[in-house]
Amino acid sequence: MPSSDLRSPAAGAEAAPLAHDPLDAIVATLEEDIVFGRLHPRERLVEDDLMERFGVKRHVVRDALTALDRLGLVERRKNVGAVVRSFSVQEVTELYEVRGMLETEAARRIDLQRVPAHLDTLIAIQQQHDTAVAAGDARTVFRVNLAFHRELFSLCGNQTLQKAIAEFARQTHPIRFASLVSAEYRERARQEHWQMIEALKAGDIDGLVALCASHLLPSRDAYLNAQQYRG
């Protein structure tokens, strides 16, 4: 498996900065636990443990698990309770096929006349991503990566398409952990972001579409390889 040196807190460590709403904070923290592989596919989320960890009542924990279920990050199983969602090979393949269709279509629809007004923002976001990758800052790598793609695909001008991209990206959060913790994959993503920026500068939409298609593959393949490794 690819080497890992991404620094991220252990499961019992201090959570990400909490939102004002305790429910939102719990959802965000558990989302990060899933994304960074601190909670593994098929791992059970025990209500009593979560109540103790977050210092909240049972109904808050149940609401958080319901929210995570709606987001596609956990699933409810009869006589078991909530577990981190796992994916079959077919499910992973299909999810990434849909993401590829959505994201390449958004890239294809980018209005080059809008690029100059957004380019400085996109570059500033990527500079933050560079810094986070160099520092091994897991949370910032994850969040700034989302911001980069949100800004990039906003250039297509179709808000419904942007929402669909965000929704399917979120559904694949549990799949991404193997690539997030790999220095090799993080560096590849960083370089590809800059290649996307250069394609925008050059007005090379075909090149951008190809980059968006290939950019998705490492996280898909890393998840499948990790699951095979775990047996």
PDB file of all heavy atoms in Angstrom, residues 84-120:
ATOM      1  N   VAL A  84     -20.528   2.296   9.799  1.00  0.00           N
ATOM      2  CA  VAL A  84     -19.934   3.069   8.717  1.00  0.00           C
ATOM      3  C   VAL A  84     -20.222   2.354   7.407  1.00  0.00           C
ATOM      4  O   VAL A  84     -20.068   1.131   7.302  1.00  0.00           O
ATOM      5  CB  VAL A  84     -18.409   3.227   8.915  1.00  0.00           C
ATOM      6  CG1 VAL A  84     -17.791   3.970   7.731  1.00  0.00           C
ATOM      7  CG2 VAL A  84     -18.125   3.960  10.210  1.00  0.00           C
ATOM      8  N   ARG A  85     -20.660   3.114   6.437  1.00  0.00           N
ATOM      9  CA  ARG A  85     -21.046   2.522   5.167  1.00  0.00           C
ATOM     10  C   ARG A  85     -19.856   1.869   4.484  1.00  0.00           C
ATOM     11  O   ARG A  85     -18.752   2.418   4.472  1.00  0.00           O
ATOM     12  CB  ARG A  85     -21.634   3.584   4.237  1.00  0.00           C
ATOM     13  CG  ARG A  85     -22.184   3.009   2.935  1.00  0.00           C
ATOM     14  CD  ARG A  85     -22.788   4.083   2.068  1.00  0.00           C
ATOM     15  NE  ARG A  85     -23.222   3.543   0.794  1.00  0.00           N
ATOM     16  CZ  ARG A  85     -23.661   4.281  -0.222  1.00  0.00           C
ATOM     17  NH1 ARG A  85     -23.729   5.598  -0.091  1.00  0.00           N
ATOM     18  NH2 ARG A  85     -24.031   3.710  -1.351  1.00  0.00           N
ATOM     19  N   SER A  86     -20.087   0.691   3.949  1.00  0.00           N
ATOM     20  CA  SER A  86     -19.089   0.019   3.125  1.00  0.00           C
ATOM     21  C   SER A  86     -19.653  -0.100   1.720  1.00  0.00           C
ATOM     22  O   SER A  86     -20.855   0.015   1.498  1.00  0.00           O
ATOM     23  CB  SER A  86     -18.754  -1.369   3.678  1.00  0.00           C
ATOM     24  OG  SER A  86     -19.921  -2.179   3.693  1.00  0.00           O
ATOM     25  N   PHE A  87     -18.776  -0.315   0.768  1.00  0.00           N
ATOM     26  CA  PHE A  87     -19.173  -0.312  -0.633  1.00  0.00           C
ATOM     27  C   PHE A  87     -18.668  -1.568  -1.321  1.00  0.00           C
ATOM     28  O   PHE A  87     -17.526  -1.980  -1.133  1.00  0.00           O
ATOM     29  CB  PHE A  87     -18.583   0.902  -1.358  1.00  0.00           C
ATOM     30  CG  PHE A  87     -19.050   2.230  -0.836  1.00  0.00           C
ATOM     31  CD1 PHE A  87     -18.437   2.804   0.275  1.00  0.00           C
ATOM     32  CD2 PHE A  87     -20.089   2.908  -1.440  1.00  0.00           C
ATOM     33  CE1 PHE A  87     -18.848   4.025   0.765  1.00  0.00           C
ATOM     34  CE2 PHE A  87     -20.510   4.141  -0.962  1.00  0.00           C
ATOM     35  CZ  PHE A  87     -19.894   4.695   0.142  1.00  0.00           C
ATOM     36  N   SER A  88     -19.522  -2.146  -2.158  1.00  0.00           N
ATOM     37  CA  SER A  88     -19.085  -3.242  -3.012  1.00  0.00           C
ATOM     38  C   SER A  88     -18.291  -2.658  -4.181  1.00  0.00           C
ATOM     39  O   SER A  88     -18.321  -1.452  -4.444  1.00  0.00           O
ATOM     40  CB  SER A  88     -20.297  -4.009  -3.551  1.00  0.00           C
ATOM     41  OG  SER A  88     -21.047  -3.179  -4.438  1.00  0.00           O
ATOM     42  N   VAL A  89     -17.598  -3.525  -4.879  1.00  0.00           N
ATOM     43  CA  VAL A  89     -16.861  -3.082  -6.067  1.00  0.00           C
ATOM     44  C   VAL A  89     -17.806  -2.423  -7.063  1.00  0.00           C
ATOM     45  O   VAL A  89     -17.491  -1.371  -7.643  1.00  0.00           O
ATOM     46  CB  VAL A  89     -16.131  -4.274  -6.721  1.00  0.00           C
ATOM     47  CG1 VAL A  89     -15.541  -3.874  -8.068  1.00  0.00           C
ATOM     48  CG2 VAL A  89     -15.042  -4.808  -5.805  1.00  0.00           C
ATOM     49  N   GLN A  90     -18.981  -3.009  -7.246  1.00  0.00           N
ATOM     50  CA  GLN A  90     -19.943  -2.441  -8.184  1.00  0.00           C
ATOM     51  C   GLN A  90     -20.403  -1.056  -7.736  1.00  0.00           C
ATOM     52  O   GLN A  90     -20.502  -0.136  -8.554  1.00  0.00           O
ATOM     53  CB  GLN A  90     -21.148  -3.361  -8.338  1.00  0.00           C
ATOM     54  CG  GLN A  90     -22.192  -2.828  -9.326  1.00  0.00           C
ATOM     55  CD  GLN A  90     -23.345  -3.781  -9.541  1.00  0.00           C
ATOM     56  OE1 GLN A  90     -23.277  -4.948  -9.159  1.00  0.00           O
ATOM     57  NE2 GLN A  90     -24.415  -3.306 -10.154  1.00  0.00           N
ATOM     58  N   GLU A  91     -20.676  -0.893  -6.441  1.00  0.00           N
ATOM     59  CA  GLU A  91     -21.124   0.405  -5.938  1.00  0.00           C
ATOM     60  C   GLU A  91     -20.056   1.474  -6.126  1.00  0.00           C
ATOM     61  O   GLU A  91     -20.350   2.604  -6.537  1.00  0.00           O
ATOM     62  CB  GLU A  91     -21.502   0.284  -4.461  1.00  0.00           C
ATOM     63  CG  GLU A  91     -22.803  -0.449  -4.219  1.00  0.00           C
ATOM     64  CD  GLU A  91     -23.055  -0.716  -2.752  1.00  0.00           C
ATOM     65  OE1 GLU A  91     -22.078  -0.927  -1.996  1.00  0.00           O
ATOM     66  OE2 GLU A  91     -24.229  -0.730  -2.342  1.00  0.00           O
ATOM     67  N   VAL A  92     -18.810   1.124  -5.809  1.00  0.00           N
ATOM     68  CA  VAL A  92     -17.718   2.082  -5.996  1.00  0.00           C
ATOM     69  C   VAL A  92     -17.597   2.464  -7.464  1.00  0.00           C
ATOM     70  O   VAL A  92     -17.492   3.648  -7.822  1.00  0.00           O
ATOM     71  CB  VAL A  92     -16.380   1.498  -5.485  1.00  0.00           C
ATOM     72  CG1 VAL A  92     -15.219   2.410  -5.844  1.00  0.00           C
ATOM     73  CG2 VAL A  92     -16.437   1.295  -3.968  1.00  0.00           C
ATOM     74  N   THR A  93     -17.627   1.467  -8.321  1.00  0.00           N
ATOM     75  CA  THR A  93     -17.494   1.714  -9.752  1.00  0.00           C
ATOM     76  C   THR A  93     -18.616   2.621 -10.261  1.00  0.00           C
ATOM     77  O   THR A  93     -18.376   3.587 -10.998  1.00  0.00           O
ATOM     78  CB  THR A  93     -17.502   0.384 -10.528  1.00  0.00           C
ATOM     79  OG1 THR A  93     -16.424  -0.434 -10.069  1.00  0.00           O
ATOM     80  CG2 THR A  93     -17.361   0.624 -12.017  1.00  0.00           C
ATOM     81  N   GLU A  94     -19.847   2.331  -9.838  1.00  0.00           N
ATOM     82  CA  GLU A  94     -20.988   3.107 -10.318  1.00  0.00           C
ATOM     83  C   GLU A  94     -20.961   4.537  -9.784  1.00  0.00           C
ATOM     84  O   GLU A  94     -21.254   5.486 -10.521  1.00  0.00           O
ATOM     85  CB  GLU A  94     -22.292   2.413  -9.935  1.00  0.00           C
ATOM     86  CG  GLU A  94     -22.525   1.115 -10.709  1.00  0.00           C
ATOM     87  CD  GLU A  94     -23.803   0.407 -10.309  1.00  0.00           C
ATOM     88  OE1 GLU A  94     -24.474   0.872  -9.359  1.00  0.00           O
ATOM     89  OE2 GLU A  94     -24.135  -0.624 -10.940  1.00  0.00           O
ATOM     90  N   LEU A  95     -20.620   4.688  -8.514  1.00  0.00           N
ATOM     91  CA  LEU A  95     -20.543   6.039  -7.948  1.00  0.00           C
ATOM     92  C   LEU A  95     -19.521   6.893  -8.694  1.00  0.00           C
ATOM     93  O   LEU A  95     -19.775   8.059  -9.009  1.00  0.00           O
ATOM     94  CB  LEU A  95     -20.179   5.971  -6.464  1.00  0.00           C
ATOM     95  CG  LEU A  95     -21.325   5.808  -5.473  1.00  0.00           C
ATOM     96  CD1 LEU A  95     -20.774   5.518  -4.082  1.00  0.00           C
ATOM     97  CD2 LEU A  95     -22.200   7.056  -5.439  1.00  0.00           C
ATOM     98  N   TYR A  96     -18.380   6.301  -8.976  1.00  0.00           N
ATOM     99  CA  TYR A  96     -17.338   7.073  -9.647  1.00  0.00           C
ATOM    100  C   TYR A  96     -17.662   7.297 -11.125  1.00  0.00           C
ATOM    101  O   TYR A  96     -17.236   8.297 -11.710  1.00  0.00           O
ATOM    102  CB  TYR A  96     -15.968   6.427  -9.440  1.00  0.00           C
ATOM    103  CG  TYR A  96     -15.353   6.909  -8.150  1.00  0.00           C
ATOM    104  CD1 TYR A  96     -15.690   6.330  -6.939  1.00  0.00           C
ATOM    105  CD2 TYR A  96     -14.478   7.984  -8.144  1.00  0.00           C
ATOM    106  CE1 TYR A  96     -15.151   6.795  -5.747  1.00  0.00           C
ATOM    107  CE2 TYR A  96     -13.936   8.460  -6.961  1.00  0.00           C
ATOM    108  CZ  TYR A  96     -14.287   7.867  -5.758  1.00  0.00           C
ATOM    109  OH  TYR A  96     -13.771   8.356  -4.575  1.00  0.00           O
ATOM    110  N   GLU A  97     -18.421   6.394 -11.723  1.00  0.00           N
ATOM    111  CA  GLU A  97     -18.883   6.639 -13.087  1.00  0.00           C
ATOM    112  C   GLU A  97     -19.786   7.874 -13.117  1.00  0.00           C
ATOM    113  O   GLU A  97     -19.665   8.735 -14.001  1.00  0.00           O
ATOM    114  CB  GLU A  97     -19.637   5.427 -13.619  1.00  0.00           C
ATOM    115  CG  GLU A  97     -18.746   4.287 -14.062  1.00  0.00           C
ATOM    116  CD  GLU A  97     -19.542   3.108 -14.582  1.00  0.00           C
ATOM    117  OE1 GLU A  97     -20.786   3.132 -14.482  1.00  0.00           O
ATOM    118  OE2 GLU A  97     -18.924   2.152 -15.081  1.00  0.00           O
ATOM    119  N   VAL A  98     -20.704   7.956 -12.145  1.00  0.00           N
ATOM    120  CA  VAL A  98     -21.619   9.100 -12.089  1.00  0.00           C
ATOM    121  C   VAL A  98     -20.841  10.380 -11.799  1.00  0.00           C
ATOM    122  O   VAL A  98     -21.071  11.420 -12.429  1.00  0.00           O
ATOM    123  CB  VAL A  98     -22.721   8.868 -11.041  1.00  0.00           C
ATOM    124  CG1 VAL A  98     -23.572  10.134 -10.870  1.00  0.00           C
ATOM    125  CG2 VAL A  98     -23.619   7.713 -11.459  1.00  0.00           C
ATOM    126  N   ARG A  99     -19.919  10.317 -10.843  1.00  0.00           N
ATOM    127  CA  ARG A  99     -19.103  11.502 -10.558  1.00  0.00           C
ATOM    128  C   ARG A  99     -18.328  11.942 -11.802  1.00  0.00           C
ATOM    129  O   ARG A  99     -18.232  13.142 -12.086  1.00  0.00           O
ATOM    130  CB  ARG A  99     -18.112  11.205  -9.424  1.00  0.00           C
ATOM    131  CG  ARG A  99     -18.730  11.185  -8.042  1.00  0.00           C
ATOM    132  CD  ARG A  99     -17.653  11.245  -6.969  1.00  0.00           C
ATOM    133  NE  ARG A  99     -16.953  12.531  -6.992  1.00  0.00           N
ATOM    134  CZ  ARG A  99     -15.876  12.802  -6.265  1.00  0.00           C
ATOM    135  NH1 ARG A  99     -15.362  11.871  -5.471  1.00  0.00           N
ATOM    136  NH2 ARG A  99     -15.301  13.984  -6.322  1.00  0.00           N
ATOM    137  N   GLY A 100     -17.791  10.986 -12.530  1.00  0.00           N
ATOM    138  CA  GLY A 100     -17.055  11.326 -13.733  1.00  0.00           C
ATOM    139  C   GLY A 100     -17.934  12.018 -14.755  1.00  0.00           C
ATOM    140  O   GLY A 100     -17.524  13.020 -15.370  1.00  0.00           O
ATOM    141  N   MET A 101     -19.148  11.512 -14.938  1.00  0.00           N
ATOM    142  CA  MET A 101     -20.062  12.133 -15.892  1.00  0.00           C
ATOM    143  C   MET A 101     -20.417  13.559 -15.482  1.00  0.00           C
ATOM    144  O   MET A 101     -20.416  14.482 -16.307  1.00  0.00           O
ATOM    145  CB  MET A 101     -21.323  11.282 -16.036  1.00  0.00           C
ATOM    146  CG  MET A 101     -21.112   9.987 -16.801  1.00  0.00           C
ATOM    147  SD  MET A 101     -22.651   9.081 -17.109  1.00  0.00           S
ATOM    148  CE  MET A 101     -22.991   8.395 -15.480  1.00  0.00           C
ATOM    149  N   LEU A 102     -20.710  13.744 -14.194  1.00  0.00           N
ATOM    150  CA  LEU A 102     -21.111  15.060 -13.713  1.00  0.00           C
ATOM    151  C   LEU A 102     -19.965  16.064 -13.785  1.00  0.00           C
ATOM    152  O   LEU A 102     -20.139  17.201 -14.262  1.00  0.00           O
ATOM    153  CB  LEU A 102     -21.608  14.958 -12.269  1.00  0.00           C
ATOM    154  CG  LEU A 102     -22.925  14.201 -12.037  1.00  0.00           C
ATOM    155  CD1 LEU A 102     -23.151  13.997 -10.544  1.00  0.00           C
ATOM    156  CD2 LEU A 102     -24.103  14.937 -12.659  1.00  0.00           C
ATOM    157  N   GLU A 103     -18.801  15.660 -13.321  1.00  0.00           N
ATOM    158  CA  GLU A 103     -17.691  16.607 -13.218  1.00  0.00           C
ATOM    159  C   GLU A 103     -17.081  16.935 -14.576  1.00  0.00           C
ATOM    160  O   GLU A 103     -16.692  18.084 -14.823  1.00  0.00           O
ATOM    161  CB  GLU A 103     -16.648  16.069 -12.232  1.00  0.00           C
ATOM    162  CG  GLU A 103     -17.222  15.974 -10.827  1.00  0.00           C
ATOM    163  CD  GLU A 103     -16.212  15.593  -9.753  1.00  0.00           C
ATOM    164  OE1 GLU A 103     -14.990  15.710 -10.019  1.00  0.00           O
ATOM    165  OE2 GLU A 103     -16.653  15.181  -8.661  1.00  0.00           O
ATOM    166  N   THR A 104     -17.017  15.955 -15.465  1.00  0.00           N
ATOM    167  CA  THR A 104     -16.508  16.277 -16.790  1.00  0.00           C
ATOM    168  C   THR A 104     -17.495  17.141 -17.564  1.00  0.00           C
ATOM    169  O   THR A 104     -17.082  18.017 -18.341  1.00  0.00           O
ATOM    170  CB  THR A 104     -16.177  15.004 -17.594  1.00  0.00           C
ATOM    171  OG1 THR A 104     -17.330  14.154 -17.651  1.00  0.00           O
ATOM    172  CG2 THR A 104     -15.012  14.259 -16.977  1.00  0.00           C
ATOM    173  N   GLU A 105     -18.792  16.921 -17.346  1.00  0.00           N
ATOM    174  CA  GLU A 105     -19.779  17.775 -18.015  1.00  0.00           C
ATOM    175  C   GLU A 105     -19.698  19.208 -17.489  1.00  0.00           C
ATOM    176  O   GLU A 105     -19.803  20.173 -18.264  1.00  0.00           O
ATOM    177  CB  GLU A 105     -21.189  17.223 -17.811  1.00  0.00           C
ATOM    178  CG  GLU A 105     -22.287  17.995 -18.529  1.00  0.00           C
ATOM    179  CD  GLU A 105     -22.112  18.044 -20.047  1.00  0.00           C
ATOM    180  OE1 GLU A 105     -21.441  17.152 -20.607  1.00  0.00           O
ATOM    181  OE2 GLU A 105     -22.632  18.991 -20.664  1.00  0.00           O
ATOM    182  N   ALA A 106     -19.499  19.347 -16.177  1.00  0.00           N
ATOM    183  CA  ALA A 106     -19.332  20.696 -15.619  1.00  0.00           C
ATOM    184  C   ALA A 106     -18.097  21.367 -16.207  1.00  0.00           C
ATOM    185  O   ALA A 106     -18.133  22.557 -16.563  1.00  0.00           O
ATOM    186  CB  ALA A 106     -19.226  20.625 -14.094  1.00  0.00           C
ATOM    187  N   ALA A 107     -16.998  20.624 -16.310  1.00  0.00           N
ATOM    188  CA  ALA A 107     -15.777  21.193 -16.907  1.00  0.00           C
ATOM    189  C   ALA A 107     -16.019  21.591 -18.357  1.00  0.00           C
ATOM    190  O   ALA A 107     -15.557  22.644 -18.817  1.00  0.00           O
ATOM    191  CB  ALA A 107     -14.639  20.182 -16.812  1.00  0.00           C
ATOM    192  N   ARG A 108     -16.752  20.749 -19.067  1.00  0.00           N
ATOM    193  CA  ARG A 108     -17.040  21.017 -20.479  1.00  0.00           C
ATOM    194  C   ARG A 108     -17.884  22.282 -20.648  1.00  0.00           C
ATOM    195  O   ARG A 108     -17.783  22.978 -21.669  1.00  0.00           O
ATOM    196  CB  ARG A 108     -17.760  19.806 -21.080  1.00  0.00           C
ATOM    197  CG  ARG A 108     -17.814  19.776 -22.592  1.00  0.00           C
ATOM    198  CD  ARG A 108     -18.367  18.455 -23.082  1.00  0.00           C
ATOM    199  NE  ARG A 108     -17.391  17.380 -22.936  1.00  0.00           N
ATOM    200  CZ  ARG A 108     -17.525  16.352 -22.109  1.00  0.00           C
ATOM    201  NH1 ARG A 108     -18.584  16.263 -21.326  1.00  0.00           N
ATOM    202  NH2 ARG A 108     -16.600  15.435 -22.037  1.00  0.00           N
ATOM    203  N   ARG A 109     -18.716  22.585 -19.657  1.00  0.00           N
ATOM    204  CA  ARG A 109     -19.629  23.723 -19.735  1.00  0.00           C
ATOM    205  C   ARG A 109     -19.026  25.030 -19.198  1.00  0.00           C
ATOM    206  O   ARG A 109     -19.710  26.043 -19.168  1.00  0.00           O
ATOM    207  CB  ARG A 109     -20.903  23.417 -18.940  1.00  0.00           C
ATOM    208  CG  ARG A 109     -21.811  22.387 -19.593  1.00  0.00           C
ATOM    209  CD  ARG A 109     -22.927  21.983 -18.630  1.00  0.00           C
ATOM    210  NE  ARG A 109     -23.886  21.113 -19.270  1.00  0.00           N
ATOM    211  CZ  ARG A 109     -25.104  21.493 -19.686  1.00  0.00           C
ATOM    212  NH1 ARG A 109     -25.475  22.762 -19.513  1.00  0.00           N
ATOM    213  NH2 ARG A 109     -25.933  20.653 -20.254  1.00  0.00           N
ATOM    214  N   ILE A 110     -17.793  24.993 -18.754  1.00  0.00           N
ATOM    215  CA  ILE A 110     -17.192  26.202 -18.175  1.00  0.00           C
ATOM    216  C   ILE A 110     -17.164  27.329 -19.211  1.00  0.00           C
ATOM    217  O   ILE A 110     -16.748  27.140 -20.353  1.00  0.00           O
ATOM    218  CB  ILE A 110     -15.780  25.910 -17.640  1.00  0.00           C
ATOM    219  CG1 ILE A 110     -15.877  25.147 -16.314  1.00  0.00           C
ATOM    220  CG2 ILE A 110     -14.960  27.188 -17.464  1.00  0.00           C
ATOM    221  CD1 ILE A 110     -14.553  24.723 -15.731  1.00  0.00           C
ATOM    222  N   ASP A 111     -17.632  28.472 -18.765  1.00  0.00           N
ATOM    223  CA  ASP A 111     -17.627  29.679 -19.600  1.00  0.00           C
ATOM    224  C   ASP A 111     -16.280  30.378 -19.407  1.00  0.00           C
ATOM    225  O   ASP A 111     -16.015  30.947 -18.348  1.00  0.00           O
ATOM    226  CB  ASP A 111     -18.783  30.589 -19.185  1.00  0.00           C
ATOM    227  CG  ASP A 111     -18.855  31.870 -20.005  1.00  0.00           C
ATOM    228  OD1 ASP A 111     -17.979  32.079 -20.867  1.00  0.00           O
ATOM    229  OD2 ASP A 111     -19.785  32.660 -19.761  1.00  0.00           O
ATOM    230  N   LEU A 112     -15.433  30.313 -20.414  1.00  0.00           N
ATOM    231  CA  LEU A 112     -14.088  30.871 -20.288  1.00  0.00           C
ATOM    232  C   LEU A 112     -14.100  32.369 -20.021  1.00  0.00           C
ATOM    233  O   LEU A 112     -13.128  32.912 -19.470  1.00  0.00           O
ATOM    234  CB  LEU A 112     -13.277  30.567 -21.551  1.00  0.00           C
ATOM    235  CG  LEU A 112     -12.915  29.086 -21.740  1.00  0.00           C
ATOM    236  CD1 LEU A 112     -12.240  28.876 -23.089  1.00  0.00           C
ATOM    237  CD2 LEU A 112     -12.015  28.597 -20.615  1.00  0.00           C
ATOM    238  N   GLN A 113     -15.177  33.051 -20.376  1.00  0.00           N
ATOM    239  CA  GLN A 113     -15.258  34.482 -20.103  1.00  0.00           C
ATOM    240  C   GLN A 113     -15.376  34.767 -18.607  1.00  0.00           C
ATOM    241  O   GLN A 113     -15.077  35.878 -18.161  1.00  0.00           O
ATOM    242  CB  GLN A 113     -16.453  35.092 -20.847  1.00  0.00           C
ATOM    243  CG  GLN A 113     -16.296  35.083 -22.361  1.00  0.00           C
ATOM    244  CD  GLN A 113     -17.445  35.769 -23.075  1.00  0.00           C
ATOM    245  OE1 GLN A 113     -18.501  36.018 -22.487  1.00  0.00           O
ATOM    246  NE2 GLN A 113     -17.243  36.092 -24.344  1.00  0.00           N
ATOM    247  N   ARG A 114     -15.812  33.772 -17.838  1.00  0.00           N
ATOM    248  CA  ARG A 114     -15.945  33.940 -16.388  1.00  0.00           C
ATOM    249  C   ARG A 114     -14.644  33.647 -15.648  1.00  0.00           C
ATOM    250  O   ARG A 114     -14.507  33.973 -14.473  1.00  0.00           O
ATOM    251  CB  ARG A 114     -17.051  33.017 -15.847  1.00  0.00           C
ATOM    252  CG  ARG A 114     -18.421  33.252 -16.442  1.00  0.00           C
ATOM    253  CD  ARG A 114     -19.440  32.355 -15.794  1.00  0.00           C
ATOM    254  NE  ARG A 114     -19.562  32.640 -14.366  1.00  0.00           N
ATOM    255  CZ  ARG A 114     -20.179  31.844 -13.488  1.00  0.00           C
ATOM    256  NH1 ARG A 114     -20.684  30.694 -13.882  1.00  0.00           N
ATOM    257  NH2 ARG A 114     -20.251  32.176 -12.226  1.00  0.00           N
ATOM    258  N   VAL A 115     -13.704  33.001 -16.322  1.00  0.00           N
ATOM    259  CA  VAL A 115     -12.485  32.530 -15.655  1.00  0.00           C
ATOM    260  C   VAL A 115     -11.675  33.661 -15.029  1.00  0.00           C
ATOM    261  O   VAL A 115     -11.251  33.555 -13.870  1.00  0.00           O
ATOM    262  CB  VAL A 115     -11.628  31.694 -16.621  1.00  0.00           C
ATOM    263  CG1 VAL A 115     -10.256  31.411 -16.020  1.00  0.00           C
ATOM    264  CG2 VAL A 115     -12.338  30.385 -16.950  1.00  0.00           C
ATOM    265  N   PRO A 116     -11.406  34.780 -15.747  1.00  0.00           N
ATOM    266  CA  PRO A 116     -10.545  35.819 -15.155  1.00  0.00           C
ATOM    267  C   PRO A 116     -11.039  36.330 -13.802  1.00  0.00           C
ATOM    268  O   PRO A 116     -10.225  36.615 -12.913  1.00  0.00           O
ATOM    269  CB  PRO A 116     -10.561  36.927 -16.212  1.00  0.00           C
ATOM    270  CG  PRO A 116     -10.795  36.204 -17.494  1.00  0.00           C
ATOM    271  CD  PRO A 116     -11.754  35.099 -17.149  1.00  0.00           C
ATOM    272  N   ALA A 117     -12.347  36.417 -13.614  1.00  0.00           N
ATOM    273  CA  ALA A 117     -12.892  36.935 -12.358  1.00  0.00           C
ATOM    274  C   ALA A 117     -12.740  35.948 -11.208  1.00  0.00           C
ATOM    275  O   ALA A 117     -12.833  36.339 -10.034  1.00  0.00           O
ATOM    276  CB  ALA A 117     -14.368  37.288 -12.541  1.00  0.00           C
ATOM    277  N   HIS A 118     -12.515  34.673 -11.527  1.00  0.00           N
ATOM    278  CA  HIS A 118     -12.420  33.638 -10.495  1.00  0.00           C
ATOM    279  C   HIS A 118     -11.005  33.099 -10.320  1.00  0.00           C
ATOM    280  O   HIS A 118     -10.748  32.375  -9.355  1.00  0.00           O
ATOM    281  CB  HIS A 118     -13.352  32.469 -10.841  1.00  0.00           C
ATOM    282  CG  HIS A 118     -14.797  32.772 -10.717  1.00  0.00           C
ATOM    283  ND1 HIS A 118     -15.573  32.356  -9.654  1.00  0.00           N
ATOM    284  CD2 HIS A 118     -15.636  33.466 -11.537  1.00  0.00           C
ATOM    285  CE1 HIS A 118     -16.811  32.764  -9.814  1.00  0.00           C
ATOM    286  NE2 HIS A 118     -16.876  33.440 -10.951  1.00  0.00           N
ATOM    287  N   LEU A 119     -10.119  33.428 -11.235  1.00  0.00           N
ATOM    288  CA  LEU A 119      -8.810  32.780 -11.249  1.00  0.00           C
ATOM    289  C   LEU A 119      -7.996  33.069  -9.995  1.00  0.00           C
ATOM    290  O   LEU A 119      -7.375  32.160  -9.417  1.00  0.00           O
ATOM    291  CB  LEU A 119      -8.038  33.215 -12.493  1.00  0.00           C
ATOM    292  CG  LEU A 119      -6.835  32.353 -12.887  1.00  0.00           C
ATOM    293  CD1 LEU A 119      -7.226  30.896 -13.064  1.00  0.00           C
ATOM    294  CD2 LEU A 119      -6.208  32.894 -14.168  1.00  0.00           C
ATOM    295  N   ASP A 120      -7.995  34.325  -9.550  1.00  0.00           N
ATOM    296  CA  ASP A 120      -7.219  34.673  -8.353  1.00  0.00           C
ATOM    297  C   ASP A 120      -7.728  33.908  -7.135  1.00  0.00           C
ATOM    298  O   ASP A 120      -6.929  33.445  -6.301  1.00  0.00           O
ATOM    299  CB  ASP A 120      -7.278  36.175  -8.091  1.00  0.00           C
ATOM    300  CG  ASP A 120      -6.422  36.971  -9.067  1.00  0.00           C
ATOM    301  OD1 ASP A 120      -5.606  36.359  -9.776  1.00  0.00           O
ATOM    302  OD2 ASP A 120      -6.587  38.205  -9.122  1.00  0.00           O
TER     303      ASP A 120
END
